[in-house]
Amino acid sequence: MMKILNNILKVRKNRLGQKARQKKWEELYGNRAKHLVKQKQSKKNTPKQRTKSSEPTPEEIIRKLKEKKKKEAVKEHPSWVAKKQQASLSAKIDVFAGTKTTFSDDDD
């Protein structure tokens, strides 16, 4: 009988949310909480943002050049290029300049 009552009375508790867990860890560990340590490390490792007036870095220049090359390389699909070549070749074919020969069945 006691086992049945214990099973009924046990209520499953949902896991705490991320912010609630972080708050709990801050209370337990203070400044040594992992999420705070990671935030401090990421702030140290991030480079300072440049203002718009400053010149672009070499990495930015290289990245922009690579993007331009990709755009130029992927301008047209090969089938489109072939179709254009075919159309230009058919336009180059000269119009018939000879004389038309007609045959008649008349016995004159």
Side-chain angles (χ1 to χ4, degrees):
M1 181 83 171
M2 284 298 278
K3 288 183 180 182
I4 296 172
L5 285 176
N6 284 338
N7 288 337
I8 293 172
L9 294 176
K10 284 186 182 178
V11 178
R12 182 169 185 252
K13 294 182 180 180
N14 291 335
R15 182 178 183 199
L16 294 175
Q18 182 178 6
K19 294 285 183 182
R21 291 191 311 269
Q22 287 178 351
K23 187 175 181 181
K24 180 180 172 183
W25 295 330
E26 286 177 29
E27 290 173 1
L28 291 173
Y29 299 108
N31 289 336
R32 292 179 297 147
K34 282 191 177 184
H35 68 280
L36 294 177
V37 173
K38 286 182 182 179
Q39 284 177 355
K40 289 177 186 176
Q41 287 176 350
S42 66
K43 285 182 182 178
K44 288 180 183 177
N45 294 338
T46 56
K48 293 181 181 178
Q49 293 182 351
R50 294 174 170 255
T51 59
K52 290 184 178 181
S53 62
S54 66
E55 294 182 19
T57 61
E59 293 85 15
E60 292 172 348
I61 294 171
I62 292 171
R63 182 178 45 83
K64 286 181 182 179
L65 288 174
K66 286 182 180 179
E67 287 176 2
K68 275 187 181 180
K69 286 182 182 179
K70 284 182 182 179
K71 286 180 182 177
E72 290 174 2
V74 187
K75 278 188 178 177
E76 293 182 345
H77 193 270
S79 64
W80 299 348
V81 174
K83 184 68 175 179
K84 286 181 182 179
Q85 287 176 348
Q86 189 179 23
S88 66
L89 288 176
S90 65
K92 289 181 182 179
I93 297 175
D94 294 329
V95 179
F96 179 70
T99 58
K100 185 176 181 181
T101 307
T102 57
F103 299 97
S104 65
D105 290 338
D106 296 338
D107 290 331
D108 291 292

